[in-house]
């Protein structure tokens, strides 16, 4: 938008703090290269357009905003003379994209000293060569430092996840190994018992009856339901008494196995009715081995299934075998991240999943969204630890208009109001030295806002802190999204506020 060009007074621009140390010759050169423009209320420039001018406000009121998702969010409003914005990085030339990093509008008739971007770059290099070199070094040095620390944070997160995954895999793997060894022993005893039965004076009808009871027992084991500790204890006492009454040795040892398999005294009465009294102890022993082998095979199946689920979750979390940009179910991403972080979350944090399963899939970079979930869950767990380590983490999904909401709510002490506006700043952290780099939320913000055209915000009160991620339900830039590789570690924009 162009304004009304007005005469440029060297004396007037010398009254602005940015130019107060310049010589009369330099002030005259500025007026020769630039101009004073008067803008009526409305837009001055728009975020993303080529950065053609450097603006210094002479008088009026200026408002800066940033595009967040489909909305423009106000980030600064001021009437202070001399504040500046626009092509602030023109002196870097082609080393960085020369586009406006925010939008500027005025709310009343406002005058600016306007300097073309190329003139601003030439003046910086000619009048302040040392300062230009220092600023360039600071800009790219900070950018490289941020990238290195961001990579280190990823490595630390990967190490933590690897340790947690190893711990989670170790439990079912160790259970499977133990169950396999016990199963080998039980099968050996079962063969011995079978040999003993085959050598006895048992009729074919008796052996057939035992086999038929064995098959029915296996069916009972497959359909067994879990009992409460009190119910299980009462039934064990009942079975142990029955076994003792029928002179079955070590009934107290057999009773828990039978109860776990869903067997009761009615079943034992059926066994007793099917065989003679002298065969009953051998038949009970034979069926005990049958029950134990079935339970051990169930344990092995459960353990290997858990291992398989963990491996699937690791693949889902890492997205190593998936396209970098695709349509995804956010619930799958959330579940895989929660499973990968279960070791870090620990048993004292109650996890509640409040999912709206009717939500559609969304276009996204799933591996990077998993990084966002990781950072937000990690922060929630850290916050809960500050209140004694016990609390609740609620992960909620819902639809809000044309966007999908993913909310992480924790019962920690909350984010103090005086730092709430800074938590997304790079290198800002409330964690002790060595426990945080201050880049987790900054990286998350860049992934959500820059790469997914969404928004990331926080609402906080003691005992109720909510980080809310809003993602577009449809691709806002379908043709270019797969190729849009935004650098989430890039140097933060320094022109978000007029300075």
């Amino acid at each position: 938008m162009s304004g009304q060009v007005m005469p440029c007074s060297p004396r007037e621009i010398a009254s602005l703090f940015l130019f107060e140390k310049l010589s009369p010759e330099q002030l005259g050169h500025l007026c020769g290269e630039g101009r004073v423009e008067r803008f009526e209320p409305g837009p001055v420039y728009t975020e993303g357009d080529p950065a053609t001018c450097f603006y210094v406000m002479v008088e009026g009121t200026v408002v800066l905003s940033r595009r967040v998702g489909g909305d423009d969010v106000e980030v600064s409003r001021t009437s202070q003379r001399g504040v500046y914005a626009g092509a602030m990085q023109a002196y870097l030339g082609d080393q960085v994209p020369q586009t406006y990093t925010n939008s500027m509008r005025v709310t009343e008739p406002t005058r600016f000293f306007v300097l073309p971007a190329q003139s601003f770059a030439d003046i910086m290099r000619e009048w302040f060569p040392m300062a230009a070199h220092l600023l360039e070094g600071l800009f790219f040095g900070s950018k490289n430092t941020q990238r290195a620390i961001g990579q280190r944070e990823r490595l630390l997160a990967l190490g933590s996840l690897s340790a947690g995954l190893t711990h989670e895999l170790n439990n079912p793997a160790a259970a499977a190994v133990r169950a396999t060894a016990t199963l080998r022993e039980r099968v050996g005893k079962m063969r011995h018992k079978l040999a003993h039965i085959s050598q006895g004076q048992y009729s074919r009808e008796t052996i057939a009856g035992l086999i038929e009871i064995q098959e029915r027992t296996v069916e009972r084991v497959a359909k067994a339901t879990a009992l409460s500790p009190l119910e299980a204890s009462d039934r064990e006492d009942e079975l142990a008494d029955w076994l003792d009454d029928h002179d079955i040795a070590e009934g107290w040892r057999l009773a828990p196995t039978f109860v776990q398999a869903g067997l009761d005294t009615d079943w034992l009465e059926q066994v007793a009715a099917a065989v003679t009294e002298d065969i009953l102890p051998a038949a009970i022993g034979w069926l005990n081995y049958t029950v134990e082998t079935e339970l051990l095979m169930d344990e092995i199946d459960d353990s290997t299934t858990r291992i398989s689920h963990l491996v699937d979750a690791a693949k889902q979390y890492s997205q190593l075998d998936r396209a970098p940009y695709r349509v995804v179910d956010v619930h799958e991403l959330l579940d895989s991240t929660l499973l990968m972080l279960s070791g870090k979350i620990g048993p004292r944090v109650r996890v509640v999943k409040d999912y709206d399963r009717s939500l559609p899939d969304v276009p996204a970079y799933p591996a990077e969204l998993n990084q966002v979930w990781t950072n937000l869950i990690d922060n929630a767990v850290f916050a809960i630890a500050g209140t004694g380590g016990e609390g609740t983490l609620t992960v909620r999904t819902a639809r809000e208009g044309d966007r999908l909401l993913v909310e992480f709510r924790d019962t920690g002490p909350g984010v103090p109001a005086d730092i709430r506006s800074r938590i997304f700043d790079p290198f800002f952290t409330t964690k002790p030295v060595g426990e945080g780099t201050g880049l987790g939320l900054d990286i998350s913000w860049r992934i959500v806002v820059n790469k997914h055209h969404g928004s990331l915000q926080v609402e906080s009160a003691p005992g109720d802190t909510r980080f809310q991620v809003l993602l577009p339900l449809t691709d806002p830039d379908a043709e270019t999204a797969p190729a849009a590789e935004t650098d989430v570690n890039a140097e933060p924009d320094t022109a978000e506020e007029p300075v």
Side-chain angles (χ1 to χ4, degrees):
M1 176 179 175
S2 297
Q4 176 188 357
V5 179
M6 307 179 68
C8 176
S9 167
R11 176 172 295 185
E12 183 177 45
I13 64 171
S15 67
L16 305 175
F17 66 84
L18 195 62
F19 306 128
E20 61 186 2
K21 299 297 182 181
L22 298 183
S23 67
E25 292 77 12
Q26 290 174 320
L27 294 171
H29 183 74
L30 280 178
C31 275
E33 291 289 331
R35 61 191 182 273
V36 172
E37 287 191 45
R38 183 177 186 271
F39 290 83
E40 295 300 321
V44 177
Y45 64 74
T46 303
E47 180 179 348
D49 288 348
T52 58
C53 294
F54 176 68
Y55 295 85
V56 184
M57 190 178 74
V58 179
E59 63 177 353
T61 301
V62 66
V63 176
L64 292 185
S65 61
R66 292 293 304 271
R67 187 176 300 120
V68 179
D71 303 322
D72 279 334
V73 178
E74 181 178 321
V75 295
S76 178
R77 179 186 295 253
T78 182
S79 299
Q80 180 183 351
R81 296 182 74 249
V83 295
Y84 53 89
M88 295 171 57
Q89 297 170 356
Y91 65 93
L92 295 172
D94 295 336
Q95 298 179 84
V96 297
Q98 293 296 334
T99 57
Y100 291 120
T101 58
N102 49 37
S103 296
M104 183 166 72
R105 61 185 175 90
V106 295
T107 58
E108 62 177 328
T110 301
R111 288 192 302 133
F112 290 96
F113 172 68
V114 183
L115 191 61
Q118 188 58 53
S119 297
F120 174 59
D122 293 340
I123 287 172
M124 283 290 294
R125 286 192 287 265
E126 180 182 350
W127 293 359
F128 313 106
M130 183 175 178
H133 284 301
L134 288 172
L135 287 171
E136 183 176 346
L138 178 63
F139 179 88
F140 290 108
S142 177
K143 182 176 181 179
N144 292 335
T145 299
Q146 188 171 6
R147 180 180 290 109
I149 294 179
Q151 291 172 346
R152 179 178 179 272
E153 181 161 283
R154 285 189 174 91
L155 289 173
L156 289 173
L158 179 61
S160 177
L161 288 172
S162 298
L165 180 60
T166 302
H167 174 76
E168 292 298 320
L169 285 171
N170 182 66
N171 290 337
V177 170
R178 288 194 303 269
T180 301
T182 306
L183 179 62
R184 187 186 303 276
E185 177 187 351
R186 294 296 184 271
V187 170
K189 291 183 177 180
M190 199 172 184
R191 289 196 301 266
H192 177 74
K193 182 67 70 174
L194 179 60
H196 177 72
I197 290 176
S198 65
Q199 293 170 3
Q201 301 300 315
Y202 305 128
S203 66
R204 294 176 61 183
E205 291 77 11
T206 300
I207 294 177
L210 281 173
I211 294 174
E212 194 269 335
I213 291 174
Q214 182 184 42
E215 292 302 318
R216 287 194 288 117
T217 301
V218 170
E219 293 177 4
R220 294 279 302 254
V221 174
K223 298 176 181 178
T225 57
L227 301 176
S228 69
L230 184 59
E231 291 173 331
S233 178
D234 290 342
R235 185 170 293 185
E236 287 175 14
D237 291 341
E238 186 179 353
L239 285 177
D241 291 342
W242 190 96
L243 293 169
D244 289 343
D245 292 342
H246 290 77
D247 298 324
I248 307 298
E250 297 186 323
W252 59 270
R253 186 179 62 82
L254 302 179
T257 303
F258 288 162
V259 170
Q260 186 180 354
L263 309 181
D264 52 22
T265 54
D266 290 340
W267 175 83
L268 292 178
E269 290 291 353
Q270 294 177 38
V271 175
V275 298
T276 59
E277 187 175 349
D278 60 319
I279 298 177
L280 182 61
I284 293 295
W286 164 257
L287 295 177
N288 176 60
Y289 291 138
T290 299
V291 169
E292 286 187 330
T293 55
E294 287 298 313
L295 293 175
L296 288 168
M297 285 190 289
D298 285 345
E299 184 176 351
I300 293 171
D301 180 68
D302 178 67
S303 298
T304 53
T305 299
R306 287 173 59 197
I307 292 172
S308 178
H309 286 166
L310 284 167
V311 172
D312 287 343
K315 289 172 64 179
Q316 172 74 13
Y317 179 84
S318 65
Q319 295 289 316
L320 290 178
D321 59 346
R322 308 293 180 88
Y325 184 86
R326 62 187 180 89
V327 176
V328 297
D329 180 352
V330 294
H331 303 110
E332 292 181 358
L333 304 183
L334 290 167
D335 286 342
S336 67
T337 303
L338 287 167
L339 183 56
M340 293 293 290
L341 293 174
S342 58
K344 189 168 190 177
I345 294 173
R348 301 179 66 191
V349 176
R350 178 171 172 258
V351 177
V352 176
K353 298 179 183 179
D354 183 9
Y355 292 167
D356 180 356
R357 294 286 186 178
S358 67
L359 290 170
D361 295 349
V362 296
Y365 294 85
E368 299 200 14
L369 283 184
N370 280 340
Q371 185 180 1
V372 174
W373 312 152
T374 299
N375 291 337
L376 297 181
I377 292 171
D378 180 69
N379 283 350
V381 172
F382 178 82
I384 292 173
T387 58
E390 291 189 2
T392 301
L393 167 64
T394 303
V395 183
R396 182 171 72 93
T397 62
R399 183 170 188 151
E400 290 201 358
D402 60 350
R403 295 193 289 179
L404 182 149
L405 168 69
V406 181
E407 180 181 80
F408 298 84
R409 178 184 179 186
D410 68 72
T411 56
V415 181
D418 59 333
I419 66 169
R420 205 168 296 161
S421 62
R422 302 172 57 198
I423 60 174
F424 296 109
D425 292 349
F427 305 109
F428 178 79
T429 180
T430 58
K431 295 180 180 179
V433 175
E435 292 190 25
T437 61
L439 286 179
L441 290 178
D442 172 59
I443 290 174
S444 299
W445 192 91
R446 292 174 184 276
I447 290 172
V448 173
V449 176
N450 293 352
K451 204 153 191 179
H452 290 86
H453 308 288
S455 66
L456 174 58
Q457 58 201 35
V458 62
E459 297 178 358
S460 185
D464 185 5
T465 297
R466 307 182 186 201
F467 280 88
Q468 299 172 327
V469 177
L470 286 162
L471 300 171
L473 290 172
T474 56
D475 190 345
D477 194 5
E479 294 184 359
T480 60
E485 293 295 332
T486 302
D487 181 4
V488 297
N489 285 321
E491 174 69 15
D493 299 325
T494 57
E496 292 185 4
E497 299 183 9
V499 291

